[in-house]
Amino acid sequence: MGNKKKKERHRNIENNNKDFHKEKRFGKKNYNPKKENQKTPKMELKEERELKYLKQVLSEYEFTFQEILQLLEWSQKKRKMYKQLLNAWEESGEIYLKRNGKYTLPEKEGFVKGEISISSGNFGFLDINGQASVFIPGAYLNTAMNGDTVLVRILKESSDNKKREGEVYKVIKRNRDVIVGVFEHNLSFGFVRPRNSPKDIYIPKKLIKGAKTGDLVAVKVDFWGDEERKPEGGIVSILGSPKDTEALISSLLLNEGIEEKFPNEVLQELDKIDEDFSDELENRKDLRHLDIITIDGSDAKDLDDAVYVEKTEDGYKLFVSIADVSYYVRENTELDIEALKRGNSIYLVDRVIPMLPRKLSNNLCSLNPNEDKLTFTVEMDLDKRGKVIKNDFYKSVIKSKYRMTYENVNTILEKNEESEEYRNLYDKYRKIDDMLKNMLELSKIIRSNKKRRGSIDFELPEIKVVLDENKAVKDIVLRSRGEAERIIEDFMVIANETVAEKLFWEEIPAIYRVHEDPDKAKVQALNETLIKFGYSLKGLEEIHPGKFQNIIERTTGLPEGYLIHKLILRAMQRARYANKNLGHFGLASKYYLHFTSPIRRYSDLIVHRMLGRSIEKFMSEKEKAKYGANFEAIASSISRTERVADKLEEDSVKIKLIEYMQDKIGQVYVARLSGMNKNKIFMELENHVEVVYNVTTARDNFIYDEENFKIVDKRNNESYTMGSTMKVSIVSASYAKMEIEVIPYVEEKVKIDEVEEE
């Protein structure tokens, strides 16, 4: 087919944008090759469209540079400039140049692109939505560091539901250039050993900056290494001892490029915010007469949601009022840019890294009791079966009457009249006692509906580490999930669904919270495991969340329940943000997004802005297109910051638990087997601390039966499986490995004659 015919045919691919080819030519005013870095937003949008169009074409064909010039109607006079643009697209992994000089898509040549996760510096994983994970052996990581965006060549496709294997072909984007590790001095130079990298970083003598062997340091990398040389860099900060937990937790943040302090530009903008909003009240619905309340954890300071319920003839009226962060954080301001960069608040074991400065998160926006607060309200009328029959969305002003805690509400709802605590709380909150009962009634109806449609409800125990004033571990407790917690959860879910459905049907751009169907290969592998425990998922050709929930309910409270729930969770896709509504598998919900926590999640702030626009004025198709394009990149960014936050929160807790167990090496505990993988047995001690037994490397009398999920004592043939308890001895608590290791405890039998000699 001639180039002209090709070009005519491929025009039809971009059938959703009739003006695409009208915008092909760069205007002389808009583009200057000498000022290539000074692109206007219009030019950037044009390049995005051209790339999107080119990728659609390359999904079917391969083109030379000359053919692409003709396809995209690029001027021959600017060949050099356009060649640079193609090179940039190739460097970013969007397209691939073959040896024959033709461009194609990387995936057609066996490549995948994504963010790499490197574990303990020995191997890596690439997780891609809707695809099997790619395992990358240490020898094939090349110069990749944890969190880098990489192009990976697939070496071995998955078989028998096992992960694919690959090698890092190219690092497309470095996650950061400052790496944290432990310094070691070696005569005239030094090197740093990062935790999540297989390669040491070489430090020339002049860039050691006074660091001593064993110091925890931050290194700025200026050369990432190649086949012959190690990465090189210079020390920029000495953080302290690798055994100092505060320094270790700070290093987690530094390793992810997260700053605790807000930039000066943000703080200056914050100082200019007018705290007097009296002029705004006439534009809002006044709900200050309602006995609206907040229900949160006792230590929460950023209160984003308040609720009110009353019974009606038809059923119930539910008000969910959310802090109106969008009033204070306007689009494209310094506050907004920093909030997007952070993506979400991070709740570490010893500190909070807020998405917004505390003046906003804990004060102006927080729905503190007995203070007038600006909110965005979703008002819902529900019938007696819990179906929303009418809704309304509006900006409002509220005055929370009580700052309730989950613990207090649970005590009131339990109604133990013999308890002095209950009697005191009842006297204090007598005014809202009936409303709390109505809330519980409505919550149970909503919950029943969720269960009926197949919503998955995991009952996995979660620990909370309580620190004292010196930031040492004071207590380790299991987080409770009583009726109060469930009430708020149910009300927030139905509010999120109601907003999502409105924005979807009105075709208003938004960021949705999506949870896609699990991968069929993973479900098949899960089912094979479930069969070993006497359970199975029927009819795998049609995957429905209710099938998983049925197994969860049947195994709750059983010895193997914890492992089975964990295995089901691992078979699921990870929930993420997207600019399209793809449904939420876990909630069995057709429409879902996050609206209820804009103080701590950027996605919710976006939704507030879009919902506000939808009720205030008409949005043109041009505006919709602009927001929709931006939201794709924003959704990707905040999905990543959420993953980072989850890992940081988990690691900060591990660090404190390791510190807590340091002086307990050699002590004996009762442990319950809670999980297994290829090399390790996971157990939970009686004090709720998770530990590992490295069964494949330990020199003892136990054999690991991976296929049947049990370990067997060779001496007496006694077996231990999920839920079994056994005595274990603490062997180590390692910050380097980020784990607490145990071995089965064997009581030594003392011979009778030895006792007599004593």
Side-chain angles (χ1 to χ4, degrees):
M1 174 160 49
N3 287 333
K4 187 174 180 181
K5 288 184 179 179
K6 279 186 186 178
K7 186 166 66 179
E8 289 300 321
R9 170 174 175 180
H10 302 317
R11 275 193 177 128
N12 296 327
I13 294 177
E14 194 69 20
N15 52 22
N16 291 328
N17 189 348
K18 295 178 182 178
D19 296 325
F20 179 78
H21 288 285
K22 292 179 183 178
E23 298 174 10
K24 285 278 188 281
R25 294 178 177 81
F26 290 111
K28 290 181 181 178
K29 283 185 177 180
N30 291 338
Y31 198 94
N32 182 343
K34 295 179 181 178
K35 296 181 179 179
E36 203 167 346
N37 293 328
Q38 300 178 17
K39 295 177 182 177
T40 65
K42 186 176 181 181
M43 288 157 51
E44 288 177 350
L45 182 60
K46 178 181 178 298
E47 287 183 6
E48 285 177 17
R49 288 178 176 176
E50 287 174 327
L51 175 59
K52 183 179 178 181
Y53 175 57
L54 177 61
K55 287 174 73 173
Q56 285 180 302
V57 175
L58 294 182
S59 66
E60 294 185 49
Y61 299 96
E62 296 176 358
F63 282 107
T64 63
F65 173 52
Q66 182 60 38
E67 288 171 330
I68 291 173
L69 277 175
Q70 295 176 350
L71 173 73
L72 298 179
E73 297 183 0
W74 282 348
S75 169
Q76 292 283 352
K77 295 177 182 178
K78 297 179 180 177
R79 288 177 61 92
K80 185 177 179 182
M81 181 186 73
Y82 290 128
K83 182 63 176 174
Q84 289 174 346
L85 183 57
L86 281 182
N87 290 344
W89 288 345
E90 188 198 359
E91 280 298 309
S92 63
E94 299 290 348
I95 59 177
Y96 179 73
L97 179 60
K98 297 175 67 175
R99 289 183 178 180
N100 64 5
K102 290 191 174 184
Y103 289 91
T104 185
L105 295 181
E107 50 265 38
K108 288 170 66 178
E109 296 300 306
F111 293 96
V112 289
K113 177 181 170 182
E115 185 181 299
I116 193 168
S117 298
I118 298 177
S119 175
S120 303
N122 299 321
F123 55 87
F125 280 100
L126 203 68
D127 289 317
I128 304 156
N129 285 316
Q131 297 184 33
S133 298
V134 184
F135 172 73
I136 303 160
Y140 296 137
L141 289 171
N142 296 323
T143 67
M145 296 279 191
N146 188 51
D148 287 348
T149 302
V150 296
L151 197 63
V152 168
R153 187 198 303 272
I154 301 299
L155 301 176
K156 187 189 296 183
E157 284 292 347
S158 57
S159 59
D160 301 325
N161 301 316
K162 292 182 179 178
K163 290 182 172 65
R164 298 179 288 177
E165 286 192 17
E167 67 170 336
V168 175
Y169 171 74
K170 177 168 59 177
V171 176
I172 292 168
K173 183 184 177 185
R174 294 288 175 185
N175 183 34
R176 68 193 72 86
D177 60 3
V178 175
I179 306 291
V180 173
V182 177
F183 177 75
E184 289 190 31
H185 208 294
N186 191 346
L187 297 176
S188 60
F189 63 92
F191 52 91
V192 171
R193 298 185 186 276
R195 186 161 67 90
N196 286 347
S197 172
K199 292 187 177 183
D200 303 334
I201 301 170
Y202 171 79
I203 312 293
K205 185 177 181 179
K206 63 181 180 180
L207 298 177
I208 289 175
K209 304 278 181 72
K212 298 181 180 64
T213 295
D215 282 347
L216 189 66
V217 299
V219 179
K220 189 173 190 306
V221 180
D222 48 41
F223 171 66
W224 290 97
D226 53 30
E227 292 180 0
E228 298 177 357
R229 293 166 58 198
K230 290 186 175 186
E232 295 179 13
I235 291 174
V236 293
S237 178
I238 299 171
L239 304 173
S241 166
K243 295 180 180 179
D244 178 351
T245 57
E246 192 166 349
L248 281 169
I249 293 172
S250 294
S251 76
L252 295 177
L253 297 171
L254 189 60
N255 224 11
E256 291 295 342
I258 294 169
E259 293 280 347
E260 293 191 57
K261 293 181 179 179
F262 285 87
N264 288 332
E265 302 81 25
V266 172
L267 298 178
Q268 288 167 10
E269 193 172 89
L270 185 67
D271 289 338
K272 295 175 184 176
I273 289 179
D274 187 358
E275 298 184 27
D276 180 11
F277 51 73
S278 53
D279 292 343
E280 170 68 14
L281 296 184
E282 63 183 24
N283 304 319
R284 293 174 177 262
K285 190 166 182 176
D286 194 340
L287 302 180
R288 287 176 290 186
H289 61 288
L290 297 178
D291 287 331
I292 201 160
I293 62 173
T294 61
I295 308 176
D296 291 272
S298 57
D299 55 352
K301 294 181 175 63
D302 50 351
L303 315 179
D304 352 56
D305 55 272
V307 290
Y308 172 81
V309 168
E310 63 182 45
K311 270 196 168 182
T312 64
E313 287 185 10
D314 297 323
Y316 303 85
K317 186 180 281 290
L318 168 63
F319 292 78
V320 175
S321 292
I322 307 299
D324 187 5
V325 177
S326 63
Y327 175 80
Y328 296 100
V329 183
R330 302 300 170 99
E331 204 172 342
N332 297 322
T333 59
E334 294 295 337
L335 275 165
D336 183 44
I337 293 165
E338 182 65 18
L340 171 56
K341 179 184 172 185
R342 295 183 176 222
N344 42 257
S345 295
I346 305 172
Y347 297 88
L348 303 179
V349 69
D350 66 342
R351 71 196 84 167
V352 176
I353 314 299
M355 183 180 81
L356 300 172
R358 284 181 170 81
K359 181 179 177 181
L360 288 174
S361 63
N362 296 2
N363 183 12
L364 295 182
C365 295
S366 185
L367 306 182
N368 302 326
N370 302 311
E371 296 178 12
D372 289 351
K373 295 290 180 178
L374 301 179
T375 50
F376 208 147
T377 296
V378 181
E379 181 182 331
M380 292 162 278
D381 288 315
L382 299 96
D383 64 20
K384 292 174 183 177
R385 293 175 298 174
K387 182 181 178 182
V388 178
I389 52 178
K390 183 183 175 185
N391 56 51
D392 198 6
F393 311 85
Y394 50 81
K395 296 291 183 85
S396 55
V397 56
I398 69 163
K399 180 183 279 189
S400 169
K401 299 301 187 289
Y402 298 106
R403 193 272 196 234
M404 304 297 293
T405 66
Y406 292 127
E407 187 179 7
N408 286 349
V409 173
N410 283 327
T411 301
I412 292 170
L413 292 174
E414 286 164 10
K415 201 174 182 179
N416 180 6
E417 295 182 357
E418 295 180 4
S419 163
E420 184 179 353
E421 183 185 10
Y422 165 73
R423 293 197 299 271
N424 291 338
L425 287 171
Y426 177 78
D427 289 341
K428 185 175 180 180
Y429 301 113
R430 184 189 301 265
K431 187 179 180 184
I432 58 169
D433 183 61
D434 285 343
M435 184 174 73
L436 291 176
K437 291 174 186 172
N438 292 337
M439 284 183 173
L440 180 59
E441 263 182 37
L442 178 57
S443 171
K444 286 184 174 179
I445 294 170
I446 293 170
R447 210 177 308 160
S448 175
N449 291 339
K450 283 161 58 182
K451 181 180 177 181
R452 195 177 298 114
R453 75 189 187 198
S455 178
I456 300 174
D457 188 11
F458 287 103
E459 287 285 355
L460 293 169
E462 184 183 351
I463 66 166
K464 179 180 179 180
V465 176
V466 182
L467 305 182
D468 62 21
E469 61 276 5
N470 298 316
K471 295 191 175 181
V473 176
K474 176 182 170 184
D475 200 3
I476 303 165
V477 296
L478 287 178
R479 290 185 186 273
S480 62
R481 188 167 172 241
E483 292 294 358
E485 287 88 348
R486 288 185 170 93
I487 286 171
I488 293 301
E489 182 182 313
D490 292 331
F491 288 177
M492 296 307 110
V493 167
I494 200 166
N496 287 335
E497 289 176 329
T498 304
V499 173
E501 188 168 2
K502 172 185 170 62
L503 294 181
F504 175 78
W505 286 110
E506 292 186 6
E507 298 183 347
I508 303 296
I511 289 183
Y512 291 90
R513 182 65 169 178
V514 302
H515 186 221
E516 290 140 299
D517 290 0
D519 177 70
K520 289 188 177 180
K522 284 186 177 180
V523 173
Q524 180 63 44
L526 168 68
N527 200 40
E528 290 171 7
T529 302
L530 290 175
I531 289 169
K532 294 174 184 176
F533 286 100
Y535 307 96
S536 67
L537 294 162
K538 307 295 183 184
L540 293 185
E541 62 281 352
E542 187 181 339
I543 301 172
H544 186 271
K547 295 179 180 180
F548 297 94
Q549 180 59 24
N550 181 43
I551 300 287
I552 288 170
E553 288 177 2
R554 289 169 61 192
T555 55
T556 296
L558 298 181
E560 69 271 19
Y562 181 79
L563 174 66
I564 287 175
H565 297 186
K566 276 274 191 183
L567 291 171
I568 291 174
L569 183 61
R570 285 175 192 157
M572 298 287 130
Q573 301 260 33
R574 185 183 176 109
R576 63 186 178 92
Y577 294 105
N579 66 336
K580 294 176 183 173
N581 176 43
L582 304 174
H584 196 293
F585 181 83
L587 290 171
S589 183
K590 290 181 180 178
Y591 319 96
Y592 200 69
L593 49 64
H594 280 162
F595 165 78
T596 55
S597 296
I599 292 177
R600 61 184 179 88
R601 291 189 305 231
Y602 192 79
S603 67
D604 305 48
L605 177 55
I606 290 283
V607 168
H608 274 230
R609 287 174 180 157
M610 292 299 100
L611 183 61
R613 293 291 302 275
S614 75
I615 63 177
E616 287 167 7
K617 59 181 181 179
F618 174 77
M619 188 180 288
S620 69
E621 292 302 316
K622 189 176 180 180
E623 281 183 292
K624 290 180 181 181
K626 183 191 81 169
Y627 280 117
N630 290 341
F631 289 173
E632 184 174 6
I634 290 173
S636 176
S637 174
I638 60 180
S639 293
R640 183 192 173 279
T641 58
E642 180 190 41
R643 291 194 301 271
V644 168
D646 287 347
K647 187 70 170 66
L648 288 173
E649 290 166 15
E650 179 186 334
D651 284 352
S652 74
V653 169
K654 276 185 184 177
I655 286 169
K656 276 298 176 184
L657 292 178
I658 290 168
E659 178 189 44
Y660 177 68
M661 297 299 290
Q662 289 270 306
D663 62 355
K664 297 169 179 61
I665 308 285
Q667 291 187 20
V668 177
Y669 288 84
V670 174
R672 183 180 299 276
L673 276 69
S674 59
M676 297 183 178
N677 67 18
K678 198 169 185 178
N679 303 306
K680 297 178 180 181
I681 309 293
F682 296 93
M683 305 181 187
E684 184 183 312
L685 301 182
E686 55 205 274
N687 62 1
H688 307 306
V689 174
E690 186 179 75
V691 296
V692 298
Y693 167 37
N694 292 306
V695 66
T696 55
T697 56
R699 296 180 180 179
D700 54 26
N701 294 304
F702 285 83
I703 300 171
Y704 179 28
D705 183 352
E706 183 184 357
E707 187 176 345
N708 295 303
F709 293 92
K710 63 183 180 180
I711 53 175
V712 181
D713 189 339
K714 289 187 294 185
R715 296 167 306 171
N716 53 23
N717 212 33
E718 189 174 354
S719 64
Y720 299 85
T721 186
M722 291 304 96
S724 299
T725 58
M726 65 189 307
K727 285 185 176 181
V728 296
S729 177
I730 309 298
V731 175
S732 71
S734 168
Y735 294 118
K737 293 181 181 178
M738 288 289 278
E739 67 180 27
I740 300 159
E741 189 177 352
V742 299
I743 57 171
Y745 174 69
V746 179
E747 294 185 40
E748 294 183 13
K749 295 181 179 179
V750 183
K751 294 180 181 179
I752 295 175
D753 54 353
E754 288 178 354
V755 175
E756 289 176 350
E757 285 178 12
E758 291 179 2

